Amino acid sequence: MFESIMRWFRRKPEPGHVSPGSPPGGPMSPGARVWAPWEGQFLYSATIVSVVGPNVTVRFDTGEEKGDLLDNLRPLRPDKQIVSGQQIFMMYDAEARSYMFYPATVRSVTGEYFEVMREDNRPEGRVHVKRVRIPESALPLNLEPEWVMQSFVRLKEPEFFDVNIMADTSLANPIWASRREIDTLYQANDRVLARWHDYYWYPATVMSISKEGIQVHFADGDRGFVMEKHLLPLYCEEGERIFIRPPEEARLMYSPAIITRIDGEMLDVEFEANDQQESRHVSGLSINRARFWRLPKGTRPLNLDAGTSVLVLLGAYWYPGRILPAREENMFGPREDVVFIELLYGAHDVMVTPELIKPMRFSAGTEVECARGGGAYIAAKIAEVKGEKLLVKYL
């Protein structure tokens, strides 16, 4: 589901900030070896393909090409930048095709090759840099403070839990098992409604409880952590209006319906008439995540007028946006249940539920991340606010 949300947010690299670039034949000219960001907070080995002013195209050692800003690149000199004992992340796949990275400790570096101790305590030599990624914090840019537009920043959502964290936190893991449990109304194996990243509620089963949050398992296989306030008992009432996926609907499209009868986790519903279907009664639908889509709970934003500047939550971050007029052709439900937002950085439209929106306000001292083109973001702190401009100091 997270991937479907982020598909709305893909965008072309933007020129961003101005950089003088490097002269032909310089250290950042075509053919130069560099560390380059992809997405997230890591750097990967690449070669510069072309440079046009402040913009650059790089080809990663794994074959992909991507546009970026020249200022976001670092020279690739692993033997002078990475030291013994430092942690990196590597692909166990010698052909660098798996794209699955695991922690490893550097023992030595020669040219573009590493000798490492893997996470499974196995030593490995001749690990080419194409199998390696390093945190951006290992090679900071040391950027000077600058003024940026509000549209070029994003804020981290503190309550976001990455569903991929489950890879190393099974109950069989002694580190996980030793974590302090917390007081909660729920316990393992409870059936609940858990809020997903889209702020809708889906049936799930509680797997475990710890200080990290409550671990839940959804019917479609997704797992993740939620806070207790993001859980509800698995309960619905006759006469309640929900969104549900018709039995014959192969796409991930949900239609409004009224519950007419409940028998355990079996529902009878009456679908409302709309442009996609006629009103009809359907019985014997099992409550599972493939069909059941409960309406969001919580406080609506104070102002949903078209043109209002807001922050919209997509995945782990809040992005600046502007509310668009309501759309008559909306096929995903009544207009009061969804809002269309134009993202200010990239000029893409997204459809979200009201709880994913909050007023756009920035203040001095707030930590943000600033877009620098090519999907790269740099951590910063706001020092001053003047209208739609922010003076940021990079961290």
Side-chain angles (χ1 to χ4, degrees), residues 24 32 37 41 52 73 88 90 100 122 150 154 181 214 226 229 235 300 310 313 343 347-348 361:
Q41 306 298 319
V52 181
L73 308 182
I88 60 173
M90 62 170 287
M100 296 292 292
R122 292 176 55 188
Q150 291 180 354
R154 68 183 186 183
E181 292 191 350
I214 299 176
V226 298
K229 67 179 182 179
Y235 174 78
R300 296 171 62 87
V310 295
L313 182 62
L343 299 174
H348 283 264
R361 299 192 185 101

Side-chain angles (χ1 to χ4, degrees), residues 26-46:
M28 289 295 182
S29 59
R33 297 284 287 156
V34 293
W35 293 104
W38 178 251
E39 289 182 353
Q41 306 298 319
F42 293 96
L43 299 172
Y44 304 81
S45 58

Side-chain angles (χ1 to χ4, degrees), residues 288-345:
N288 59 61
R289 193 169 171 215
R291 300 186 187 278
F292 190 79
W293 191 15
R294 191 181 179 95
L295 287 174
K297 304 292 184 182
T299 305
R300 296 171 62 87
L302 295 178
N303 188 350
L304 289 176
D305 294 338
T308 302
S309 296
V310 295
L311 293 172
V312 56
L313 182 62
L314 297 173
Y317 294 93
W318 293 89
Y319 295 89
R322 183 181 297 109
I323 294 179
L324 295 171
R327 299 182 181 179
E328 296 294 339
E329 70 274 13
N330 173 27
M331 66 180 65
F332 297 94
R335 284 178 297 176
E336 65 268 18
D337 295 323
V338 296
V339 183
F340 291 90
I341 306 291
E342 177 190 17
L343 299 174
L344 300 184
Y345 178 51

Side-chain angles (χ1 to χ4, degrees), residues 70-382:
L70 199 60
D71 282 349
N72 289 340
L73 308 182
R74 289 80 156 171
L76 182 74
R77 293 192 288 267
D79 52 351
K80 300 183 183 301
Q81 297 163 326
I82 310 298
V83 299
S84 176
Q86 187 169 341
Q87 186 183 69
I88 60 173
F89 297 85
M90 62 170 287
M91 287 184 269
Y92 289 172
D93 172 21
E95 300 299 323
R97 295 175 180 172
S98 68
Y99 297 93
M100 296 292 292
F101 290 87
Y102 302 90
T105 302
V106 175
R107 304 175 72 181
S108 64
V109 187
T110 304
E112 294 190 0
Y113 289 88
F114 294 74
E115 289 191 11
V116 304
M117 180 65 72
R118 295 176 10 170
E119 187 183 33
D120 56 7
N121 293 321
R122 292 176 55 188
E124 184 170 346
R126 300 289 294 176
V127 177
H128 190 261
V129 69
K130 72 178 180 180
R131 297 169 57 193
V132 169
R133 71 180 185 184
I134 63 173
E136 286 186 320
S137 57
L139 298 176
L141 286 176
N142 297 321
L143 299 170
E144 295 295 323
E146 64 177 338
W147 288 92
V148 299
M149 298 296 294
Q150 291 180 354
S151 57
F152 282 83
V153 303
R154 68 183 186 183
L155 289 81
K156 180 78 172 182
E157 164 57 41
E159 295 182 359
F160 179 81
F161 291 100
D162 186 354
V163 296
N164 294 323
I165 196 173
M166 293 305 305
D168 297 312
T169 54
S170 66
L171 292 175
N173 188 326
I175 298 177
W176 171 250
S178 66
R179 290 175 178 166
R180 178 179 59 85
E181 292 191 350
I182 59 174
D183 294 330
T184 175
L185 297 174
Y186 301 95
Q187 59 185 3
N189 298 319
D190 281 352
R191 292 285 285 156
V192 295
L193 286 168
R195 195 176 71 177
W196 185 247
H197 303 313
D198 59 2
Y199 278 51
Y200 279 80
W201 301 72
Y202 299 91
T205 301
V206 173
M207 298 180 66
S208 63
I209 300 168
S210 80
K211 67 178 182 179
E212 301 293 335
I214 299 176
Q215 177 189 359
V216 297
H217 183 269
F218 296 95
D220 67 350
D222 284 331
R223 296 181 291 177
F225 289 109
V226 298
M227 302 178 69
E228 184 171 356
K229 67 179 182 179
H230 297 160
L231 292 180
L232 292 172
L234 182 54
Y235 174 78
C236 52
E237 299 177 336
E238 292 183 8
E240 182 176 3
R241 186 174 188 267
I242 63 173
F243 280 88
I244 197 164
R245 188 174 164 195
E248 70 278 5
E249 179 56 72
R251 298 167 296 174
L252 292 177
M253 293 181 59
Y254 297 76
S255 300
I258 302 296
I259 298 175
T260 58
R261 190 181 72 89
I262 301 173
D263 181 12
E265 293 198 6
M266 300 296 291
L267 303 177
D268 292 355
V269 302
E270 180 73 25
F271 281 102
E272 298 178 6
N274 55 41
D275 293 340
Q276 283 71 47
Q277 63 180 26
E278 298 179 353
S279 173
R280 69 192 191 286
H281 187 81
V282 177
S283 62
L285 297 181
S286 174
I287 295 181
N288 59 61
R289 193 169 171 215
R291 300 186 187 278
F292 190 79
W293 191 15
R294 191 181 179 95
L295 287 174
K297 304 292 184 182
T299 305
R300 296 171 62 87
L302 295 178
N303 188 350
L304 289 176
D305 294 338
T308 302
S309 296
V310 295
L311 293 172
V312 56
L313 182 62
L314 297 173
Y317 294 93
W318 293 89
Y319 295 89
R322 183 181 297 109
I323 294 179
L324 295 171
R327 299 182 181 179
E328 296 294 339
E329 70 274 13
N330 173 27
M331 66 180 65
F332 297 94
R335 284 178 297 176
E336 65 268 18
D337 295 323
V338 296
V339 183
F340 291 90
I341 306 291
E342 177 190 17
L343 299 174
L344 300 184
Y345 178 51
H348 283 264
D349 297 353
V350 296
M351 183 196 71
V352 297
T353 56
E355 286 185 84
L356 289 167
I357 305 168
K358 66 180 181 180
M360 186 163 68
R361 299 192 185 101
F362 295 98
S363 59
T366 302
E367 291 190 2
V368 297
E369 294 185 3
C370 298
R372 295 191 56 80
Y377 281 82
I378 306 297
K381 180 178 288 188
I382 297 175

